[in-house]
Amino acid sequence: VSVSRAIKPFAEPGRPPDWFSQKHCASQYSELLETTETPKRKRGEKGEVVETVEDVIVRKLTAERVEELKKIIKETQEKYRQLKKDAELIQAGHMDNRLEELCNEIMMCVI
């Protein structure tokens, strides 16, 4: 319960209502455990930190999320550059013939 309740505020839009149920969280975690390779135990000195399955999962999911965020940042930067370019063209008067069309596009995005 605590996990499903704790991650609910970080929900992505469009998730079904039962996405954060205890049962669904447990099945997702179980699937992660099944698909993750168990780290091989090494013989070593006492006190040596041995990587656990949970550590592997955290590292894997963190790397995936970092890649997702990089992609989102890149897309946002491209969109910003395009909007900035469009704004400069509008201010220069080069898009006067498309102003009504651009206003309609903006209105459709706002609504």
Side-chain angles (χ1 to χ4, degrees):
V1 177
S2 61
V3 172
S4 60
R5 195 175 297 141
I7 62 175
K8 198 167 191 170
F10 303 103
E12 298 167 352
R15 292 285 185 200
D18 66 338
W19 182 258
F20 294 101
S21 69
Q22 280 181 293
K23 185 177 179 181
H24 191 265
C25 285
S27 68
Q28 290 290 317
Y29 184 68
S30 176
E31 185 180 322
L32 277 172
L33 288 175
E34 289 172 7
T35 59
T36 303
E37 278 189 38
T38 307
K40 295 180 179 162
R41 298 208 174 234
K42 300 175 185 173
R43 287 189 170 181
E45 296 181 24
K46 291 182 181 178
E48 184 179 329
V49 177
V50 178
E51 190 174 49
T52 64
V53 175
E54 291 83 4
D55 294 334
V56 174
I57 291 172
V58 167
R59 191 170 13 90
K60 176 184 169 190
L61 293 177
T62 301
E64 287 176 8
R65 185 62 179 153
V66 166
E67 289 304 313
E68 288 174 8
L69 292 173
K70 284 180 182 179
K71 182 179 175 185
I72 291 169
I73 289 170
K74 185 177 179 182
E75 290 170 355
T76 303
Q77 287 173 336
E78 289 172 8
K79 187 174 182 179
Y80 170 78
R81 284 188 203 103
Q82 184 60 44
L83 289 172
K84 187 174 178 180
K85 181 180 172 185
D86 289 347
E88 289 170 355
L89 289 173
I90 290 170
Q91 288 176 344
H94 297 295
M95 304 225 2
D96 289 344
N97 57 341
R98 290 194 55 220
L99 283 180
E100 188 173 330
E101 179 185 335
L102 291 171
C103 283
N104 289 337
E105 285 180 25
I106 292 169
M107 293 303 287
M108 292 302 286
C109 290
V110 172
I111 295 175

